[in-house]
Structures are given as C-alpha cells and as structure tokens.
Amino acid sequence: MSRLVVISNRIADPRKTASGGLAVALGQALESSGGMWFGWSGKIVEDGTPGEGELHLHNAGKVQLATVDLSREDHDSFYLGYSNGVLWPVFHYRLDLADFDAGYIAGYRRVNQMFAHKLKALLRPDDIIWVHDYHLIPLAAELRAMGCQQRMGFFLHIPLPPPLILAAVPEHDWLMRSLFAYDLVGFQSEADVNHFARYVGTETPADILGEHEFRAFGKTLQVQAFPIGTDVDEFIELGKGREAQEMFEQMRGEYSRRRLLLGVERLDYSKGLPQRLKAFRQLLQAYPENLGSATLIQIASPSRETVDAYASLLQELESLCGAINGNFGELDWMPVRYIHRTVARKRLPGLYRAASVALVTPLRDGMNLVAKEFVASQDPDDPGVLVLSRFAGAAEQMREALLVNPYDTTRTAETMQRALQMPLEERQRRHKKLLEGIREQDVHWWRERFLAALAAVPTS
Ligand code: ADP
Ligand code: F6P
C-alpha cells in the first residue's frame, strides 16, 4: 500500500495539544492512517544560511515526523513576510493589511525550493503526496522540476478570495499557475471553488472542461470542495476524561449564578474579536437584564506576534476588554474574562460544555473547527447555542447555527440575546441537526474523500 506523505509548514506531534485548525486536523488524520509528516521544525537558527536547514527525523506513534529548521532570514521573509504578511491578509480579504514588500517573495521561493530538495531525498516512487496551505503553494512545481512524478494533491485551509482581490498579489499569476503542478486541488467551501473557477476563466488561458476540471499549461487539474471536519467521537471521548470534567465542574461552580458566553481562537484579525466585544457591550447596554449575569470568556492564544497587525490587535483587544469591565463591572462581577493563552486540549470540551453560547464570529475564515468542537462537546439534553458568522466556511454546512453578520453590531447583539433566551426544545432541535452534520462530515470523511479523489485522478 502507498505511503501517505503530508507536508505543511506547521507540524505537531499528533499526541500533544496544538492550536490552529491545520495542526489539529492533520494530527487527527495522520494518527489513524500513519505516514510521514514533513514541515518546519519550529526552530529559527539566528545566524543560519538562507535556503539551508538541518533535517530532523523522529517517530511520534504511527507517524514519522521529518522537520527542517529555518534560518532567521528565511523565517522572516517566508513565514512572517510573504505567507503571513501578504497571502494571509489578501486571502482573508484584508488588502489594507498586506505588506507587498518586494523582498519577501525571494524567501518564499527559496524555502519552497529547500523543502522540495529535502523532501525529495525521503520520497518513495509510490508515495501519495498531500501538501497543505498557503505557505507551500509552489511546492509541487518545485518537486516536478526535480523529476518527481508521484500523485500530488493540495489543500488550502484558508479562503480563496474573488479574482479581483487575488489579483492584487503581484505574483498572483505565478502562484495560480503553480497550482497546475498538482493533480487535485481542494478548497474548504463551494465559494472558494467558485472563486477559483472565475479566476481561471478570466485570468488564465485555461480550458474549463467541467465544473471541477480545468486544463492549462499542459496539465489537467481537478478542483473540489472538501470541507474539513473534526474528530467528533474523539472529542466526545475527551469530554468524558478527568481534565474535561474538572474544567466543567470548576466553571459551573464559579459561574452557577451567571450565563457564560465563550470565544476560543488564535489571536488573529480574521476572527473578528473587536467586533465581537463591541457586540457584547451592546448586549449589556440594550438588554440590561444581562448586567451582573452574562459573562464573556474570551480565550485568544498568542499567534504571529511579531507581525505588526497582530501586535496592534492585541492592544486594541486589551483596551476594549478593560473599557467594558471598567464601565459595566461590579465588585462581584466582571463582564469579560480575557485570557491570552492556549488551553490544554483535554480541558477544552469541559469549557465548551459549560458555556450557554459560543461566539464564532470571524470576519472571514476558511472553515473554523472551534464551531464544530463546541457542538461536539454539548450535552444533547441541555445544549448550548452556536452563534456563527456567515463569513466562516463552516456556515455553508452549519445552517442550524444562529448566523450573524459580525460587522452588524446591533443585530449580533440581538442574536446573542436570542441565543441566551432560546427555549430548550429549540436548542435541542438545532443541536441534534448540527451534531448529525459534523458527525457525518468529520475529519476522517474529509481525509478519505480527498485521498479517494486524488487516487481517482487519471495519470497522464
Ligand atoms: P485556525 O485554523 O484559523 O486557527 P480553527 O477554528 O479552524 O482556526 O482551528 C483552531 C484549532 O485550534 C481548534 O482545534 C481549536 O480547538 C484550537 N485552538 C484555537 N485557539 C485555542 C486556544 N486558545 N487554546 C486551545 N486550543 C485552541
Ligand atoms: O488553519 C489556518 C492556519 O493558518 C494554518 O495554516 C496554521 O497552521 C494555523 O492557522 C496556525 O497558524 P501558524 O501556523 O502561523 O501558527
């Protein structure tokens, strides 16, 4: 049987806590199938030579981890500069935050070439190669240039923007052409597939052979939506564990007289945190029965803190939380508890279960696994309510959530109030449907569908 080789910039030991949808989902996917996971070691070598990095190999259960260090220069231009200073903001529709410094692209290419070079030495002819996310779009093109003929698939974890936004990236034509080196490209949502088809139709000489098939640059490419899921059964099991139970008891004990609203994410401007806090402030103003009762626990784990846009978001958030607590707080009640930290994965289900309402209100998001984890953690007899942004990829699947436009503060606050007041029967009905959906389309379904589609691509 062919070996699965997964490549992503961020990798994690599948047996440990990770924050970020990609690391969590790939850990779950690889733990069941086994295989190799190749990516950045997380180590930055201060005086390292650009384009060079030491390779480390070790086993984590059934998974072989192959990791490469990055020199400071490569880290700053490839990871911070091009991946998170250009591609991340543009792909999340934030042209205003993009830093199109011409120097970053050289580092992006250099690291992709280095990854291809190191990986090639580890590959077997019948390996199935599955590359992930925006850091590594040109990886297949580099591997093909070195003579690799294996089947190669690519999955984008973040959204693909409409063609006119994408076209703002100075190298957009090169990037999109690089995708044609893969056999299969997967996106999170139908909206992304639609943006890809429109881009190809207007900006490339491609022939559109079908809804999911495009031919250009001497290559045929299959493109489909594969919405990523979470391991629902594993998460339910985690919820029965000691750590989750203790977390639940502690929260229920501490907040026995209060109603909890919860947000959990990386501290990222795509997540709509300032807008959420403003809507929560509006909830307290417009519905004063929540004073002394509604408490927002906002967990935001540190992420990419040396990128300017992240540093200013941190300040904005701290000042908003301080202002809400200062204006509305009492000696025995603080409306916002803001925690700038990662919560251990084993404790997360207990936290989700203690919440009456989850606020998953990104301005734009590829998928959002937190929404799915919240649903998986609920007590079906007395479930909490999911308030979900219509701009999250998850909104295409999770139609029984309360969908909001996070830019609309007044109506988001109204929806929070509706969620807090929702009758038990309606909560149960919505939760049942949501749970059925995420169980049917879980992380294993995602992996199997993608790999089956890749295996079915005719080889030329
Ligand atoms: P993204 O990939 O943009 O970070 P997702 O919601 O898809 O967003 O995935 C985030 C993953 O990381 C989830 O599995 C979530 O449980 C985990 N995570 C995010 N923030 C935290 C945190 N503060 N503490 C613990 N886990 C977190
Ligand atoms: O899921 C989106 C994503 O950007 C992943 O690619 C990434 O691993 C994760 O969020 C966390 O970001 P980072 O790897 O920059 O810490």
Side-chain angles (χ1 to χ4, degrees):
M1 206 176 117
S2 299
R3 179 178 63 160
L4 176 61
V5 176
V6 165
I7 305 113
S8 59
N9 175 61
R10 178 72 62 191
I11 75 152
D13 184 329
R15 300 162 305 179
K16 297 187 184 152
T17 292
S19 99
L22 178 148
V24 170
L26 288 181
Q28 291 169 344
L30 269 163
E31 232 190 343
S32 52
S33 66
M36 179 192 278
W37 194 355
F38 181 101
W40 175 36
S41 63
K43 183 173 170 198
I44 305 167
V45 182
E46 286 304 332
D47 53 359
T49 309
E52 288 180 22
E54 195 180 335
L55 177 72
H56 311 272
L57 293 173
H58 68 276
N59 292 325
K62 273 162 59 181
V63 185
Q64 184 183 32
L65 300 178
T67 61
V68 182
D69 302 337
L70 289 181
S71 70
R72 163 61 64 192
E73 196 174 324
D74 282 347
H75 173 266
D76 290 0
S77 55
F78 158 76
Y79 174 73
L80 295 178
Y82 201 75
S83 300
N84 289 313
V86 178
L87 298 181
W88 180 273
V90 174
F91 282 38
H92 287 86
Y93 301 34
R94 293 299 303 270
L95 290 179
D96 58 315
L97 295 179
D99 174 6
F100 295 113
D101 184 317
Y104 298 151
I105 185 67
Y108 185 74
R109 285 182 171 169
R110 192 167 58 234
V111 171
N112 271 274
Q113 280 163 350
M114 185 210 359
F115 271 29
H117 182 73
K118 301 267 182 200
L119 178 65
K120 183 169 186 285
L122 302 172
L123 288 179
R124 301 173 190 156
D126 65 340
D127 280 342
I128 302 284
I129 298 178
W130 192 5
V131 179
H132 291 261
D133 236 356
Y134 56 104
H135 317 81
L136 300 175
I137 292 171
L139 190 72
E142 298 296 349
L143 288 167
R144 299 273 187 232
M146 293 173 187
C148 295
Q149 293 182 346
Q150 289 89 343
R151 270 173 207 272
M152 295 187 203
F154 176 80
F155 184 77
L156 186 68
H157 289 251
I158 65 175
L160 188 79
L164 275 182
I165 294 187
L166 190 54
V169 178
E171 302 80 16
H172 66 95
D173 43 2
W174 170 75
L175 281 168
M176 296 302 276
R177 184 187 175 128
S178 304
L179 283 180
F180 279 81
Y182 293 95
D183 300 299
L184 171 69
V185 168
F187 293 107
Q188 296 276 25
S189 68
E190 292 299 337
D192 302 321
V193 173
N194 183 273
H195 293 158
F196 179 84
R198 277 172 45 210
Y199 179 94
V200 163
T202 53
E203 304 275 340
T204 76
D207 290 328
I208 301 186
L209 305 179
E211 206 186 339
H212 297 297
E213 205 174 6
F214 304 85
R215 183 157 184 87
F217 317 112
K219 184 83 177 31
T220 301
L221 176 64
Q222 311 279 335
V223 175
Q224 266 189 66
F226 300 92
I228 200 167
T230 194
D231 189 335
V232 174
D233 292 330
E234 185 236 43
F235 215 72
I236 290 176
E237 275 310 301
L238 213 58
K240 295 178 188 157
R242 184 178 50 81
E243 287 92 338
Q245 296 289 342
E246 277 174 10
M247 185 78 188
F248 176 73
E249 296 301 338
Q250 184 192 335
M251 284 294 151
R252 276 287 157 105
E254 236 177 272
Y255 293 96
S256 57
R257 292 181 300 114
R258 319 249 189 249
R259 306 295 305 283
L260 273 191
L261 299 96
L262 176 68
V264 176
E265 45 257 299
R266 287 179 303 104
L267 184 62
D268 195 292
Y269 51 78
S270 62
K271 305 292 181 186
L273 293 167
Q275 289 78 358
R276 182 183 306 167
L277 280 156
K278 287 173 192 163
F280 180 67
R281 182 175 62 197
Q282 175 74 14
L283 172 81
L284 300 178
Q285 268 163 352
Y287 307 97
E289 62 269 35
N290 291 307
L291 293 172
S293 163
T295 305
L296 170 61
I297 297 194
Q298 179 59 59
I299 318 264
S301 57
S303 187
R304 308 171 194 166
E305 292 191 311
T306 46
V307 176
D308 287 349
Y310 289 77
S312 44
L313 174 66
L314 178 63
Q315 281 183 356
E316 185 181 1
L317 209 58
E318 282 173 356
S319 117
L320 267 167
C321 293
I324 296 174
N325 282 341
N327 292 335
F328 295 94
E330 302 287 347
L331 284 175
D332 62 349
W333 168 71
M334 279 299 146
V336 182
R337 248 175 101 175
Y338 161 61
I339 298 151
H340 185 36
R341 219 171 303 137
T342 300
V343 174
R345 195 158 177 80
K346 287 185 175 161
R347 293 165 67 84
L348 265 182
L351 186 59
Y352 287 135
R353 195 170 182 136
S356 301
V357 178
L359 301 175
V360 179
T361 54
L363 305 180
R364 190 75 187 114
D365 211 333
M367 174 51 58
N368 203 294
L369 291 178
V370 167
K372 298 183 174 181
E373 293 168 358
F374 175 76
V375 169
S377 307
Q378 297 309 300
D379 173 0
D381 293 331
D382 184 17
V385 179
L386 175 63
V387 174
L388 178 64
S389 163
R390 58 174 296 183
F391 305 124
E396 273 188 14
Q397 294 172 297
M398 305 182 83
R399 306 306 292 178
E400 291 78 18
L402 295 185
L403 295 183
V404 292
N405 166 8
Y407 294 97
D408 185 341
T409 309
T410 306
R411 289 171 90 174
T412 303
E414 257 171 51
T415 308
M416 289 179 186
Q417 176 69 355
R418 182 174 164 208
L420 284 167
Q421 307 219 309
M422 189 179 285
L424 177 64
E425 183 279 324
E426 184 180 353
R427 282 191 279 129
Q428 289 172 334
R429 182 167 43 77
R430 287 177 182 271
H431 174 259
K432 186 165 179 277
K433 283 266 191 198
L434 287 168
L435 186 61
E436 278 166 12
I438 61 165
R439 184 168 254 144
E440 193 182 311
Q441 303 189 342
D442 70 356
V443 73
H444 305 294
W445 171 88
W446 169 74
R447 184 200 63 216
E448 281 154 23
R449 262 186 83 231
F450 187 95
L451 293 176
L454 183 54
V457 173
T459 44
S460 41

PDB file of all heavy atoms in Angstrom, residues 344-361:
ATOM      1  N   ALA A 344      -5.234  23.699  27.431  1.00  0.00           N
ATOM      2  CA  ALA A 344      -4.892  22.299  27.112  1.00  0.00           C
ATOM      3  C   ALA A 344      -6.086  21.628  26.439  1.00  0.00           C
ATOM      4  O   ALA A 344      -7.231  21.804  26.862  1.00  0.00           O
ATOM      5  CB  ALA A 344      -4.512  21.562  28.385  1.00  0.00           C
ATOM      6  N   ARG A 345      -5.800  20.895  25.368  1.00  0.00           N
ATOM      7  CA  ARG A 345      -6.881  20.298  24.571  1.00  0.00           C
ATOM      8  C   ARG A 345      -7.794  19.400  25.409  1.00  0.00           C
ATOM      9  O   ARG A 345      -9.004  19.357  25.192  1.00  0.00           O
ATOM     10  CB  ARG A 345      -6.265  19.504  23.421  1.00  0.00           C
ATOM     11  CG  ARG A 345      -7.277  19.169  22.378  1.00  0.00           C
ATOM     12  CD  ARG A 345      -6.713  18.866  21.028  1.00  0.00           C
ATOM     13  NE  ARG A 345      -7.797  18.499  20.146  1.00  0.00           N
ATOM     14  CZ  ARG A 345      -8.613  19.358  19.539  1.00  0.00           C
ATOM     15  NH1 ARG A 345      -8.432  20.657  19.706  1.00  0.00           N
ATOM     16  NH2 ARG A 345      -9.595  18.947  18.776  1.00  0.00           N
ATOM     17  N   LYS A 346      -7.212  18.712  26.405  1.00  0.00           N
ATOM     18  CA  LYS A 346      -8.024  17.809  27.224  1.00  0.00           C
ATOM     19  C   LYS A 346      -9.050  18.563  28.063  1.00  0.00           C
ATOM     20  O   LYS A 346     -10.021  17.990  28.537  1.00  0.00           O
ATOM     21  CB  LYS A 346      -7.120  17.003  28.156  1.00  0.00           C
ATOM     22  CG  LYS A 346      -6.328  15.947  27.422  1.00  0.00           C
ATOM     23  CD  LYS A 346      -5.553  15.110  28.403  1.00  0.00           C
ATOM     24  CE  LYS A 346      -4.875  13.975  27.644  1.00  0.00           C
ATOM     25  NZ  LYS A 346      -3.781  13.399  28.386  1.00  0.00           N
ATOM     26  N   ARG A 347      -8.799  19.863  28.292  1.00  0.00           N
ATOM     27  CA  ARG A 347      -9.724  20.639  29.119  1.00  0.00           C
ATOM     28  C   ARG A 347     -10.799  21.332  28.289  1.00  0.00           C
ATOM     29  O   ARG A 347     -11.848  21.717  28.801  1.00  0.00           O
ATOM     30  CB  ARG A 347      -8.937  21.697  29.919  1.00  0.00           C
ATOM     31  CG  ARG A 347      -8.014  21.080  30.949  1.00  0.00           C
ATOM     32  CD  ARG A 347      -6.986  22.079  31.461  1.00  0.00           C
ATOM     33  NE  ARG A 347      -7.547  23.160  32.241  1.00  0.00           N
ATOM     34  CZ  ARG A 347      -7.829  23.094  33.523  1.00  0.00           C
ATOM     35  NH1 ARG A 347      -7.597  21.992  34.183  1.00  0.00           N
ATOM     36  NH2 ARG A 347      -8.336  24.123  34.166  1.00  0.00           N
ATOM     37  N   LEU A 348     -10.500  21.494  26.978  1.00  0.00           N
ATOM     38  CA  LEU A 348     -11.395  22.294  26.126  1.00  0.00           C
ATOM     39  C   LEU A 348     -12.860  21.838  26.138  1.00  0.00           C
ATOM     40  O   LEU A 348     -13.761  22.676  26.258  1.00  0.00           O
ATOM     41  CB  LEU A 348     -10.891  22.288  24.679  1.00  0.00           C
ATOM     42  CG  LEU A 348     -10.011  23.430  24.211  1.00  0.00           C
ATOM     43  CD1 LEU A 348      -9.657  23.252  22.740  1.00  0.00           C
ATOM     44  CD2 LEU A 348     -10.692  24.784  24.421  1.00  0.00           C
ATOM     45  N   PRO A 349     -13.139  20.513  26.016  1.00  0.00           N
ATOM     46  CA  PRO A 349     -14.559  20.116  25.963  1.00  0.00           C
ATOM     47  C   PRO A 349     -15.335  20.553  27.206  1.00  0.00           C
ATOM     48  O   PRO A 349     -16.520  20.902  27.117  1.00  0.00           O
ATOM     49  CB  PRO A 349     -14.511  18.586  25.868  1.00  0.00           C
ATOM     50  CG  PRO A 349     -13.143  18.253  25.393  1.00  0.00           C
ATOM     51  CD  PRO A 349     -12.249  19.358  25.871  1.00  0.00           C
ATOM     52  N   GLY A 350     -14.668  20.561  28.367  1.00  0.00           N
ATOM     53  CA  GLY A 350     -15.332  20.977  29.605  1.00  0.00           C
ATOM     54  C   GLY A 350     -15.690  22.450  29.563  1.00  0.00           C
ATOM     55  O   GLY A 350     -16.770  22.874  30.021  1.00  0.00           O
ATOM     56  N   LEU A 351     -14.795  23.247  28.979  1.00  0.00           N
ATOM     57  CA  LEU A 351     -15.027  24.683  28.868  1.00  0.00           C
ATOM     58  C   LEU A 351     -16.193  24.943  27.909  1.00  0.00           C
ATOM     59  O   LEU A 351     -17.117  25.715  28.191  1.00  0.00           O
ATOM     60  CB  LEU A 351     -13.739  25.335  28.360  1.00  0.00           C
ATOM     61  CG  LEU A 351     -13.681  26.835  28.286  1.00  0.00           C
ATOM     62  CD1 LEU A 351     -13.913  27.452  29.654  1.00  0.00           C
ATOM     63  CD2 LEU A 351     -12.304  27.289  27.762  1.00  0.00           C
ATOM     64  N   TYR A 352     -16.150  24.268  26.742  1.00  0.00           N
ATOM     65  CA  TYR A 352     -17.228  24.435  25.763  1.00  0.00           C
ATOM     66  C   TYR A 352     -18.581  24.040  26.379  1.00  0.00           C
ATOM     67  O   TYR A 352     -19.600  24.680  26.151  1.00  0.00           O
ATOM     68  CB  TYR A 352     -17.000  23.522  24.549  1.00  0.00           C
ATOM     69  CG  TYR A 352     -15.891  23.917  23.594  1.00  0.00           C
ATOM     70  CD1 TYR A 352     -14.999  22.956  23.121  1.00  0.00           C
ATOM     71  CD2 TYR A 352     -15.756  25.214  23.116  1.00  0.00           C
ATOM     72  CE1 TYR A 352     -13.998  23.271  22.203  1.00  0.00           C
ATOM     73  CE2 TYR A 352     -14.752  25.532  22.203  1.00  0.00           C
ATOM     74  CZ  TYR A 352     -13.882  24.563  21.752  1.00  0.00           C
ATOM     75  OH  TYR A 352     -12.904  24.885  20.850  1.00  0.00           O
ATOM     76  N   ARG A 353     -18.570  22.960  27.153  1.00  0.00           N
ATOM     77  CA  ARG A 353     -19.838  22.436  27.671  1.00  0.00           C
ATOM     78  C   ARG A 353     -20.440  23.354  28.736  1.00  0.00           C
ATOM     79  O   ARG A 353     -21.660  23.417  28.902  1.00  0.00           O
ATOM     80  CB  ARG A 353     -19.598  21.043  28.255  1.00  0.00           C
ATOM     81  CG  ARG A 353     -20.870  20.266  28.491  1.00  0.00           C
ATOM     82  CD  ARG A 353     -20.522  18.824  28.840  1.00  0.00           C
ATOM     83  NE  ARG A 353     -21.720  18.048  29.020  1.00  0.00           N
ATOM     84  CZ  ARG A 353     -21.889  16.828  28.535  1.00  0.00           C
ATOM     85  NH1 ARG A 353     -20.949  16.273  27.823  1.00  0.00           N
ATOM     86  NH2 ARG A 353     -23.004  16.169  28.761  1.00  0.00           N
ATOM     87  N   ALA A 354     -19.561  24.066  29.433  1.00  0.00           N
ATOM     88  CA  ALA A 354     -20.062  24.959  30.480  1.00  0.00           C
ATOM     89  C   ALA A 354     -20.683  26.230  29.896  1.00  0.00           C
ATOM     90  O   ALA A 354     -21.368  26.979  30.595  1.00  0.00           O
ATOM     91  CB  ALA A 354     -18.915  25.333  31.419  1.00  0.00           C
ATOM     92  N   ALA A 355     -20.446  26.468  28.608  1.00  0.00           N
ATOM     93  CA  ALA A 355     -20.924  27.732  28.012  1.00  0.00           C
ATOM     94  C   ALA A 355     -22.360  27.595  27.503  1.00  0.00           C
ATOM     95  O   ALA A 355     -22.716  26.589  26.904  1.00  0.00           O
ATOM     96  CB  ALA A 355     -20.008  28.120  26.854  1.00  0.00           C
ATOM     97  N   SER A 356     -23.148  28.634  27.730  1.00  0.00           N
ATOM     98  CA  SER A 356     -24.514  28.648  27.176  1.00  0.00           C
ATOM     99  C   SER A 356     -24.480  29.021  25.706  1.00  0.00           C
ATOM    100  O   SER A 356     -25.349  28.610  24.939  1.00  0.00           O
ATOM    101  CB  SER A 356     -25.376  29.686  27.903  1.00  0.00           C
ATOM    102  OG  SER A 356     -25.423  29.399  29.268  1.00  0.00           O
ATOM    103  N   VAL A 357     -23.486  29.840  25.338  1.00  0.00           N
ATOM    104  CA  VAL A 357     -23.419  30.351  23.971  1.00  0.00           C
ATOM    105  C   VAL A 357     -21.959  30.368  23.516  1.00  0.00           C
ATOM    106  O   VAL A 357     -21.088  30.825  24.263  1.00  0.00           O
ATOM    107  CB  VAL A 357     -23.977  31.802  23.906  1.00  0.00           C
ATOM    108  CG1 VAL A 357     -23.866  32.370  22.499  1.00  0.00           C
ATOM    109  CG2 VAL A 357     -25.417  31.856  24.392  1.00  0.00           C
ATOM    110  N   ALA A 358     -21.697  29.866  22.303  1.00  0.00           N
ATOM    111  CA  ALA A 358     -20.356  30.034  21.719  1.00  0.00           C
ATOM    112  C   ALA A 358     -20.438  31.130  20.679  1.00  0.00           C
ATOM    113  O   ALA A 358     -21.370  31.169  19.865  1.00  0.00           O
ATOM    114  CB  ALA A 358     -19.887  28.744  21.065  1.00  0.00           C
ATOM    115  N   LEU A 359     -19.443  32.025  20.702  1.00  0.00           N
ATOM    116  CA  LEU A 359     -19.392  33.108  19.722  1.00  0.00           C
ATOM    117  C   LEU A 359     -18.266  32.806  18.739  1.00  0.00           C
ATOM    118  O   LEU A 359     -17.086  32.897  19.084  1.00  0.00           O
ATOM    119  CB  LEU A 359     -19.144  34.439  20.431  1.00  0.00           C
ATOM    120  CG  LEU A 359     -20.218  34.813  21.469  1.00  0.00           C
ATOM    121  CD1 LEU A 359     -19.826  36.085  22.206  1.00  0.00           C
ATOM    122  CD2 LEU A 359     -21.584  34.978  20.803  1.00  0.00           C
ATOM    123  N   VAL A 360     -18.635  32.390  17.544  1.00  0.00           N
ATOM    124  CA  VAL A 360     -17.656  32.084  16.495  1.00  0.00           C
ATOM    125  C   VAL A 360     -17.961  33.055  15.363  1.00  0.00           C
ATOM    126  O   VAL A 360     -18.777  32.785  14.492  1.00  0.00           O
ATOM    127  CB  VAL A 360     -17.788  30.616  16.052  1.00  0.00           C
ATOM    128  CG1 VAL A 360     -16.794  30.320  14.940  1.00  0.00           C
ATOM    129  CG2 VAL A 360     -17.554  29.677  17.228  1.00  0.00           C
ATOM    130  N   THR A 361     -17.363  34.237  15.449  1.00  0.00           N
ATOM    131  CA  THR A 361     -17.819  35.336  14.595  1.00  0.00           C
ATOM    132  C   THR A 361     -16.677  35.943  13.769  1.00  0.00           C
ATOM    133  O   THR A 361     -16.451  37.162  13.812  1.00  0.00           O
ATOM    134  CB  THR A 361     -18.482  36.426  15.483  1.00  0.00           C
ATOM    135  OG1 THR A 361     -17.551  36.792  16.520  1.00  0.00           O
ATOM    136  CG2 THR A 361     -19.764  35.923  16.107  1.00  0.00           C
TER     137      THR A 361
END
